[in-house]
Amino acid sequence: MKKKKNVLVFMTDQQNSETLKPSSKAKTPNLDKFMEKSIKFNNCHTTSPHCCPSRAGFFSGLYPSQHNIWNNVEVDNALSRTLFDGVKLFPEILKEDGYKTYFAGKWHVSAYEGPKDRGFDHVLYEYVSNYGRFKAENKPRSNDWSQVYSNKDNIKLDDSKDFGEIVRNGYPKYYQFGIDNDPFGDNISTEKSCEVLENYDSDKPFFMYVGTTGPHDPYCPPQKFLDLYKDVDIKLPPNFDDDMKDKPALYRRTKDCFKLTREEHIESIRRYYAFVSYEDYLFGKILKTLEDKDLLKDTYVLYITDHGDYVASHGLWSKGLPCFREAYSIGAALGGADINTHFENNDLLSITDFAPTILELTGNKDKIKTTGESLVPIIKTNKTPKNWRKYLFTQTNGNEVYGIQRAVFNDKWKLVFNTFDYDELYDLENDPLEMHNIIDSAPKPVIKDLFKKLWTFAKETNDACTCPYIAVAFAPYGPGIILEDNI
């Protein structure tokens, strides 16, 4: 019997999808070389602008309303901390199928269950936050207060400021950028993974997940990667000065958090690019080991990120409720194994598509029910399958500060439904930078049709965002409009 193909996933955290494009100033020689013989997915998006729901969506092929991970599972006020009963992750299927499974890096899928509970035989290294793993207890938490008291010498109680520091009186000192020889332990994750690959001699196929935490903020790459950009002319994005007066007030308040000079914003971009280059260097280590051990021809390699980073677009950094493309657009490329050609796909894709894709590539098609669709027909034919989706949807109830927000979009329109403020509509063909909210001037039939699609998807995914009580029924067209089509 022919041995099944290995699968290796290299997932970065918070990498802006523009850094995977040839036009980017980010220096990524290893990724560039990899993409010469890989399939590049140019129009891929995450379900939520946050680590935990994005990763849960990647592993399950489901949306938050289906897997139950809405925000950071480790903070005190988390909406939920673990997956719904009955939700199965694709590494569990691969383990059952005889794959040897390896995990290294960032988990962030459940506060109660770790990688070993969800299909991974070997945890080579796990980057754990200050909170660590929780016990499954239903009682109030005080970890956040503990963090305040344990770092009381680090609490900022005046308005003095150093270059790159964001002053938040009464909060811990926060530096937007810095230097770190091994930020988040990403090199440890990579080295331990390479050690396994160097010594791999099993007849069984393997699945390896390397989940780095860079280029997540604070942006602290090693010095030698920052040196790559010392003579690079860095410019602010063209929508940097968006005053966002036509957008939700929370967007402006979020922007106000990043009290940086233009020079500090520019330096942040420089550090961000340097951090991306560092992640590219680590990815290069993995690729070289696969090539040196003659494993690449038998291993599908997926390079992907969980969600994006604004990188100064609209004056914002990191990710969050501002429902802009930069937070939701993700970079992804699949190569190795029997993929010996390069082509670029522009279909609307979701992070939930990769669970069914990996399962089909490994002979485990339809072993779990997913909202995502397998990309194997695209991979095999370089053609858009019949009846492929024409719209994508997002689900978030906020990060650590709550706010229900849903969106529906295609290449023309993007509607954002906000329960915490007024809604948004962008004409992406004429306003790709999302500078002009035209919700008050757009034709009502367009808005109604988009809401109908949004509510239809909510019904299909059992999304409980439909409370009809008068004080919270904010949508101009409620979920009952889908009855017009007898859905």
Side-chain angles (χ1 to χ4, degrees):
M1 183 176 176
K2 188 177 180 181
K3 180 182 174 182
K4 292 190 174 186
K5 299 294 185 184
N6 309 311
V7 179
L8 188 146
V9 173
F10 190 93
M11 177 179 278
T12 59
D13 190 341
Q14 207 167 291
Q15 183 173 352
N16 185 289
S17 64
E18 293 294 312
T19 61
L20 277 75
K21 294 183 178 180
S23 59
S24 172
K25 288 190 176 182
K27 301 175 187 289
T28 55
N30 296 298
L31 187 55
D32 293 346
K33 181 180 178 182
F34 172 71
M35 288 192 293
E36 289 175 0
K37 292 185 177 182
S38 68
I39 302 165
K40 172 79 184 312
F41 303 108
N42 289 330
N43 202 9
C44 193
H45 306 265
T46 192
T47 58
S48 305
H50 208 205
C51 302
C52 297
S54 294
R55 288 159 189 266
F58 172 76
F59 282 119
S60 69
L62 301 172
Y63 270 69
S65 62
Q66 300 169 305
H67 59 57
N68 194 44
I69 304 301
W70 286 97
N71 61 334
N72 190 332
V73 295
E74 297 171 352
V75 296
D76 284 358
N77 66 345
L79 288 168
S80 55
R81 302 190 186 281
T82 196
L83 300 159
F84 277 136
D85 292 342
V87 171
K88 204 161 188 177
L89 308 185
F90 78 77
E92 298 176 84
I93 302 297
L94 295 183
K95 180 180 177 179
E96 292 171 0
D97 190 41
Y99 274 74
K100 297 187 73 172
T101 52
Y102 299 88
F103 176 93
K106 183 173 180 178
W107 175 235
H108 243 194
V109 173
S110 169
Y112 300 145
E113 296 178 301
K116 278 197 172 183
D117 301 307
R118 285 295 182 164
F120 289 98
D121 292 310
H122 307 280
V123 177
L124 309 177
Y125 169 76
E126 183 180 358
Y127 170 72
V128 180
S129 71
N130 293 331
Y131 297 101
R133 191 87 68 235
F134 289 144
K135 294 180 180 179
E137 300 169 333
N138 185 23
K139 63 180 184 180
R141 305 189 179 277
S142 59
N143 297 75
D144 290 335
W145 280 111
S146 297
Q147 292 295 315
V148 170
Y149 284 114
S150 64
N151 292 286
K152 59 183 179 180
D153 293 336
N154 193 42
I155 297 294
K156 192 83 174 178
L157 295 174
D158 60 47
D159 294 330
S160 61
K161 172 179 160 47
D162 296 326
F163 187 70
E165 182 182 8
I166 295 177
V167 175
R168 306 172 302 161
N169 201 315
Y171 286 98
K173 294 179 182 177
Y174 179 83
Y175 283 90
Q176 172 84 345
F177 49 74
I179 295 292
D180 192 328
N181 289 329
D182 185 15
F184 304 115
D186 285 354
N187 187 59
I188 300 174
S189 297
T190 304
E191 288 292 334
K192 289 187 176 293
S193 299
C194 287
E195 287 175 13
V196 170
L197 296 174
E198 287 168 355
N199 299 291
Y200 198 80
D201 60 359
S202 174
D203 290 334
K204 292 184 176 181
F206 67 79
F207 169 63
M208 179 176 284
Y209 174 85
V210 185
T212 63
T213 305
H216 194 289
D217 61 294
Y219 312 111
C220 299
Q223 180 65 51
K224 74 174 185 177
F225 293 93
L226 181 59
D227 290 343
L228 296 174
Y229 295 87
K230 61 183 179 181
D231 297 322
V232 175
D233 182 28
I234 303 294
K235 289 183 169 57
L236 295 171
N239 56 0
F240 174 78
D241 289 310
D242 182 6
D243 60 23
M244 296 197 284
K245 288 182 179 179
D246 61 346
K247 300 175 179 67
L250 179 63
Y251 289 23
R252 299 191 293 278
R253 191 168 192 181
T254 303
K255 181 176 182 176
D256 288 343
C257 289
F258 297 98
K259 294 186 181 299
L260 299 164
T261 64
R262 295 181 85 87
E263 290 73 23
E264 288 172 316
H265 278 288
I266 289 171
E267 185 60 23
S268 295
I269 297 174
R270 190 184 311 276
R271 304 282 176 128
Y272 185 84
Y273 286 164
F275 210 159
V276 169
S277 293
Y278 177 60
E279 296 301 327
D280 175 78
Y281 162 75
L282 298 179
F283 181 56
K285 281 187 174 184
I286 297 287
L287 290 177
K288 186 176 187 306
T289 305
L290 288 171
E291 290 171 345
D292 290 348
K293 301 303 293 184
D294 198 30
L295 289 169
L296 190 58
K297 65 179 177 16
D298 295 313
T299 305
Y300 287 110
V301 177
L302 173 64
Y303 185 101
I304 192 170
T305 190
D306 57 353
H307 57 80
D309 188 303
Y310 300 117
V311 191
S313 292
H314 306 276
L316 298 165
W317 284 92
S318 187
K319 75 284 181 183
L321 276 180
C323 192
F324 296 127
R325 179 189 57 81
E326 292 83 5
Y328 280 92
S329 177
I330 60 174
L334 180 70
D338 50 9
I339 300 174
N340 296 309
T341 186
H342 169 77
F343 66 81
E344 300 194 13
N345 175 268
N346 295 308
D347 295 317
L348 274 173
L349 307 185
S350 166
I351 196 170
T352 61
D353 294 333
F354 291 98
T357 300
I358 290 172
L359 289 177
E360 183 169 354
L361 288 173
T362 57
N364 290 285
K365 183 179 180 181
D366 298 329
K367 289 290 183 68
I368 57 176
K369 185 178 180 180
T370 63
T371 297
E373 301 285 342
S374 173
L375 304 178
V376 169
I378 294 174
I379 293 168
K380 298 299 184 184
T381 67
N382 188 18
K383 293 180 181 178
T384 304
K386 290 183 179 179
N387 302 319
W388 191 254
R389 67 172 69 96
K390 293 181 171 56
Y391 291 86
L392 266 184
F393 304 86
T394 72
Q395 289 182 352
T396 180
N397 286 344
N399 291 2
E400 282 73 35
V401 177
Y402 302 145
I404 293 175
Q405 183 177 74
R406 302 289 187 267
V408 52
F409 63 95
N410 60 7
D411 294 333
K412 169 63 177 175
W413 297 109
K414 180 176 182 178
L415 172 73
V416 185
F417 170 49
N418 299 309
T419 64
F420 53 87
D421 208 321
Y422 290 98
D423 301 328
E424 302 161 73
L425 181 69
Y426 300 100
D427 180 347
L428 298 179
E429 285 184 346
N430 298 303
D431 180 26
L433 297 178
E434 298 169 299
M435 292 283 283
H436 307 291
N437 178 12
I438 59 171
I439 192 70
D440 293 329
S441 59
K444 288 185 178 181
V446 169
I447 297 172
K448 183 177 181 180
D449 181 62
L450 290 169
F451 264 105
K452 185 177 291 187
K453 290 179 170 59
L454 187 149
W455 290 126
T456 300
F457 184 77
K459 181 177 184 293
E460 291 171 350
T461 56
N462 199 31
D463 184 6
C465 61
T466 59
C467 181
Y469 183 61
I470 186 63
V472 294
F474 295 135
Y477 300 97
I481 62 172
I482 65 176
L483 297 175
E484 291 182 344
D485 298 328
N486 296 316
I487 296 174

